[in-house]
């Protein structure tokens, strides 16, 4: 019987080829024209789970894209790990900024990934990270080393708000029963600074539409005399932050947890170079809420960002037009205790209230989710920490992430179990951006670390 | 020999078919993919001028699109009228708001045009209005009624700022020598309220680009910690107007001519219904600079309007991204005495100065032009006024327009002659908008009125 290290060595090329095949499928859940590809990705995951040794694998239909469920039960008296991941990906726009086509994966070396990284949409978020778990199970079943039961729940709507996962979870509590939930959909600080994510931000995502005149107008004949929806939208967006970059929506901060000075001091110990951060983004200065550090701004503080804006003439050259409509997509990252539905409602009310009478405003909520904090004294966290110690030779740092996996707080509520966020990507892997990639080293290190989690989790449960 | 009324009656169908054929050519100067069509429109104008009886017609090459020049000299001692117009058109976007395709002209009745209107991009601006002059000349030459000399200068870059016309005019002062310039590229108050445009606004059109991080970022991992170029652009745009909708660019109003109370009282006499104005645009309230009426806001006051804005994810669904770049197209309508180049520079300096250190800003001037005011005691104006009295049975009202024909002030400077703006379109004809149209009645009324201008202008010059 092999150990995981030699198994990886032997099967490395196949492990890479398999993830590359999966990355070739443009499973973009946000764009309905890719529906067939999203379904193809689900079918592919089903086959992978079967090959990895799951006893039962099914494609569970939902009102949207299906959830791939798989399980391997070795003994009902042993603990059960539920693995969650997603097979859908973000749209690749802006496509012209990719150095290679987003759905034609290539392996290239980078400064941070001297052993090469797989460049493709979804490489890190989340196909690559999700697939590590399937390969880890393959190792354990093939070598009779699976110490407990395992269940998989891989969905296809994470990038569009997991709208149908909640219903599935609520309706399948017995089927999904578990002792711990394991997710790899986050990052770690650096390849030599392993970390485990202990907090996630919540999210409220809305779209706004500002309508002025009932048709596009000539800016000479009407300019200055009617409300220009783009100018008005800019004014409304601008007013959502004050001069200290505090969000001005009444009630927005009411439930925000304020960390103690001691907690903030603890956070500040994580290795961070502002110079490197600015250099990596080619910016002269960071920008954010007065009174908070960069790491605090993107983890323990809520935000409001415009993710997209459009209106009027955006083609080549000039067109002297006053647009009838202007639009923006706006998302708010929330911290634990902020309720996303409440925040969405506060936004909607406030945004409508600040519109001048000369325009009409429509706010359409897209989706959202709660923030989450996991305790570091749980068996799950301890098992994960020991697994990292085994494979990285270092104790991982508990770290709050600025990202959101809205479904995590729902899991806790419905399934009464804690989630452990074992992420192996890096922040610089450009998830949601052009040239997304995932280190080959990271991919294999994930496959190596996961079996140890199962081992220690089962042992600590005895 | 026929009079103009019976000539129109006899040739009405042909007059309509000819303009419809011209409107079928998508001569969009702003979009280089339509280059062949723009050139096709120029060739078509050349043939029309020849058929109308011009002695000399040439296509004059420029660094951009050519200028079609034509002339008919009957006696060098008689006065010369120079007709200016343009054969290029605005882009038709947003194309989905057109009820019929923009380059497949159809005639449909409307409330204001009970005898039908031609719906097509360029119907009113300016193909239809320019073509009236060719048909008027056709009548006069065919019936030996041309009382003076005429020259035509029809360009193909008006909608993109007439960048090459200035050079042409400067290099051809002798060729273009004239006693008055006649342009139909403006509107009148109503079919039963004829008016002549005596003022035009100037224009400065710029494009701005705000760059934050060097790539699109995940809004969870970076949100709150880096400057979001869309939020920053919104803030910068918002700051360009104060709470009274005054423009905040330092020095912007320095040269603005302030009209006397008497002049403003005179202007206020023009028929105008705020209720009808709001109803036509389906708006609950107008919006503009405090202290000025709607008609003042869009004629004697300068403006700043965003004509287009874009950045980030604008597709279907949601994408949690912080864009690397955000863009806007911004135009300022200027009043006489404001120098457009000076204003462009003031804008550029100010816009760069208000950018936070966390972003980079690039301002690219597109084009511009000076405002213009024409005196109503000139022979040209008097001749035009008498022509309208003849065909409308009413004295036309002198009126300042909010639009811009930047080249008009250059004409005065280089050719030392005044321009008469005899426009026959209506503000509601949706120029620059979807469903642009031009009343059949207006088209024919223009053809009818123009020959009287030649008659009176020649008589008053004796």
């Amino acid at each position: 019987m092999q150990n995981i290290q030699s198994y990886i060595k032997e099967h490395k090329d196949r492990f890479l080829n398999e993830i590359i095949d999966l990355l070739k499928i443009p499973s973009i859940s946000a764009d309905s024209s890719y529906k067939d590809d999203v379904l193809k990705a689900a079918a592919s995951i089903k086959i992978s789970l079967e090959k990895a040794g799951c006893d039962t694998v099914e494609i569970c239909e939902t009102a949207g894209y299906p959830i791939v469920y798989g399980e391997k039960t070795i003994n009902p008296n042993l603990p059960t790990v539920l693995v969650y991941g997603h097979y859908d990906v973000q749209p690749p726009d802006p496509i012209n900024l990719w150095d290679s086509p987003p759905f034609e994966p290539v392996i290239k070396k980078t400064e941070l990934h001297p052993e090469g990284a797989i460049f493709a949409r979804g490489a890190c978020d989340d196909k690559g990270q999700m697939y590590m778990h399937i390969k880890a199970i393959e190792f354990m079943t093939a070598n009779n080393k699976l110490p407990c039961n395992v269940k998989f729940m891989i969905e296809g709507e994470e990038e569009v708000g997991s709208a149908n996962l909640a219903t599935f979870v609520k309706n399948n509590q017995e089927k999904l029963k578990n002792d711990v939930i394991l997710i790899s959909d986050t990052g770690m600080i650096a390849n030599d600074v392993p970390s485990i994510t202990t907090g996630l931000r919540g999210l409220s995502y809305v779209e706004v539409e500002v309508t002025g005149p009932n048709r596009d107008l000539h800016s000479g004949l009407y300019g200055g005399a009617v409300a220009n929806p783009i100018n008005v939208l800019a004014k409304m967006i601008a007013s959502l932050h004050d001069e200290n970059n505090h969000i001005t929506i009444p009630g927005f901060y009411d439930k925000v947890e304020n960390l103690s000075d001691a907690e903030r001091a603890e956070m500040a110990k994580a290795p961070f170079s502002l110079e490197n951060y600015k250099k990596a983004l080619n910016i002269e200065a960071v920008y954010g809420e007065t009174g908070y550090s960069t790491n605090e701004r993107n983890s323990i503080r809520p935000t409001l960002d415009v993710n997209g804006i459009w209106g009027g003439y955006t083609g080549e050259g000039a067109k002297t037009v006053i647009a009838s409509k202007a639009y923006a997509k706006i998302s708010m990252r929330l911290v634990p205790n902020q309720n996303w539905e409440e925040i969405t409602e506060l936004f909607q009310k406030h945004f409508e209230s600040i519109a001048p009478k000369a325009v009409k405003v429509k706010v359409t909520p897209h989706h959202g989710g709660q923030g989450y904090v996991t305790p570091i004294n749980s068996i799950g966290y301890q098992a994960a920490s020991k697994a990292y110690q085994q494979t990285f030779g270092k104790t991982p740092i508990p770290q709050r992430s600025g990202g959101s996996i809205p479904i995590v707080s729902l899991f806790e509520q419905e399934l009464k179990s804690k989630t452990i966020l074992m992420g192996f990507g890096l922040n610089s892997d450009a998830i949601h951006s052009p040239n997304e990639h995932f280190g080959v080293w990271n991919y294999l290190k994930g496959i190596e670390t996961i079996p140890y989690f199962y081992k220690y989790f089962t042992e600590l449960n005895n």
Side-chain angles (χ1 to χ4, degrees), chain A:
Chain A
M1 199 180 73
Q2 289 186 293
N3 67 20
I4 180 68
Q5 287 79 10
S6 67
Y7 191 82
I8 289 172
K9 211 166 179 177
E10 189 182 332
H11 298 281
K12 179 182 164 182
D13 288 349
R14 178 171 58 81
F15 285 0
L16 285 171
N17 289 336
E18 284 178 15
I19 184 60
I20 283 172
D21 281 345
L22 182 60
L23 290 169
K24 285 181 181 166
I25 307 170
S27 48
I28 306 164
S29 50
D31 187 339
S32 52
S33 60
Y34 290 90
K35 187 176 176 185
D36 288 350
D37 294 299
V38 183
L39 296 174
K40 195 175 155 192
S44 165
I45 297 301
K46 178 171 184 278
I47 294 168
S48 296
L49 285 172
E50 285 164 349
K51 283 190 182 165
C54 285
D55 300 326
T56 313
V57 186
E58 11 166 12
I59 290 192
C60 305
E61 296 303 330
T62 71
Y65 287 118
I67 290 156
V68 187
Y69 176 80
E71 64 172 62
K72 171 101 187 157
T73 303
I74 57 167
N75 180 342
N77 296 324
L78 285 170
T80 299
V81 176
L82 173 64
V83 176
Y84 163 82
H86 62 95
Y87 60 82
D88 64 324
V89 300
Q90 279 276 318
D93 319 61
I95 201 109
N96 59 316
L97 295 183
W98 284 77
D99 295 331
S100 56
F103 298 106
E104 296 174 23
V106 289
I107 294 179
K108 283 186 296 190
K109 288 179 184 173
T110 72
E111 202 183 323
L112 289 175
H113 296 295
E115 298 180 39
I118 310 163
F119 282 78
R121 169 57 83 231
C124 183
D125 178 15
D126 178 48
K127 284 176 176 169
Q129 296 220 71
M130 174 266 292
Y131 207 72
M132 298 181 310
H133 289 269
I134 300 182
K135 293 299 101 180
I137 293 299
E138 174 195 310
F139 160 74
M140 291 187 278
T141 55
N143 293 283
N144 203 24
K145 286 202 169 181
L146 185 64
C148 63
N149 308 309
V150 60
K151 295 174 178 176
F152 281 88
M153 174 171 62
I154 312 298
E155 71 150 324
E157 298 184 309
E158 200 272 347
E159 299 295 3
V160 289
S162 303
N164 298 295
L165 185 64
T167 308
F168 179 79
V169 170
K170 282 177 194 167
N171 292 345
N172 292 279
Q173 293 189 331
E174 190 51 38
K175 180 182 205 157
L176 300 172
K177 210 177 162 197
N178 66 79
D179 297 282
V180 72
I181 297 165
L182 193 54
I183 304 179
S184 294
D185 197 14
T186 49
M188 59 182 186
I189 295 172
N191 284 0
D192 57 353
V193 188
S195 59
I196 296 175
T197 301
T198 53
L200 291 167
R201 289 198 281 192
L203 181 72
S204 166
Y205 199 114
V206 299
E207 186 161 323
V208 301
E209 176 193 284
V210 175
T211 305
N214 53 1
R215 59 184 168 92
D216 284 7
L217 299 175
H218 185 290
S219 72
L221 302 185
Y222 291 92
V226 297
N228 177 327
I230 303 178
N231 287 72
V232 170
L233 176 59
K235 243 190 165 62
M236 291 171 76
I237 289 170
S239 79
L240 297 175
H241 289 94
D242 69 14
E243 66 283 8
N244 293 313
N245 274 311
H246 284 293
I247 294 156
T248 58
I249 299 167
F252 186 84
Y253 290 99
D254 283 2
K255 296 190 179 165
V256 167
E257 166 203 40
N258 285 308
L259 268 67
S260 67
D261 288 350
E263 286 171 300
R264 292 178 66 184
E266 193 56 37
M267 270 192 73
K269 287 182 187 162
F272 178 74
S273 157
L274 188 61
E275 278 320 300
N276 288 349
Y277 187 85
K278 291 193 289 185
K279 205 178 133 198
L281 301 174
N282 190 24
I283 52 178
E284 268 193 53
V286 292
Y287 188 88
E289 196 180 358
T290 305
Y292 293 91
S293 73
T294 291
N295 275 337
E296 288 173 336
R297 286 169 177 170
N298 65 20
S299 62
I300 61 165
R301 298 297 296 172
T303 67
L304 184 152
D305 272 301
V306 182
N307 301 111
I309 193 165
W310 68 104
Y313 183 68
T314 59
E316 196 189 338
K319 184 163 149 65
T320 47
V321 69
I322 293 177
S324 171
K325 287 174 188 287
Y327 305 84
K329 291 178 195 272
I330 299 175
S331 70
M332 289 157 281
R333 297 282 169 173
L334 310 175
V335 295
N337 299 338
Q338 281 185 298
N339 179 294
W340 79 269
E341 283 163 321
E342 199 178 304
I343 292 291
T344 304
E345 210 181 304
L346 288 178
F347 177 91
Q348 184 155 6
K349 267 191 198 160
H350 178 66
F351 205 73
E352 286 166 359
S353 78
I354 60 175
K357 209 180 134 194
V359 300
K360 294 174 198 78
V361 165
K362 199 168 93 184
V363 178
T364 310
H366 263 305
H367 64 264
Q370 297 302 111
Y372 183 73
V373 180
T374 196
I376 64 169
N377 58 4
S378 68
I379 289 176
Y381 187 89
Q382 292 303 322
S385 181
K386 281 168 78 84
Y388 280 83
Q389 287 170 50
Q390 185 83 37
T391 57
F392 285 80
K394 283 181 184 176
T395 303
I397 295 172
Q399 198 201 28
R400 292 255 201 128
S401 161
S404 306
I405 311 178
I407 211 68
V408 169
S409 69
L410 180 104
F411 290 162
E412 175 157 10
Q413 189 188 314
E414 298 294 328
L415 304 175
K416 317 289 177 212
S417 56
K418 287 284 172 193
T419 293
I420 304 302
L421 298 159
M422 287 173 72
F424 294 91
L426 301 182
N427 275 359
S428 54
D429 285 347
I431 67 170
H432 292 210
S433 301
N435 304 315
E436 174 177 353
H437 55 282
F438 187 34
V440 170
W441 183 89
N442 302 67
Y443 176 59
L444 300 176
K445 189 54 95 179
I447 299 171
E448 181 187 346
T449 307
I450 292 164
Y452 290 104
F453 173 81
Y454 283 78
K455 176 180 184 306
Y456 294 122
F457 185 70
T458 309
E459 287 175 11
L460 289 169
N461 261 287
N462 271 336

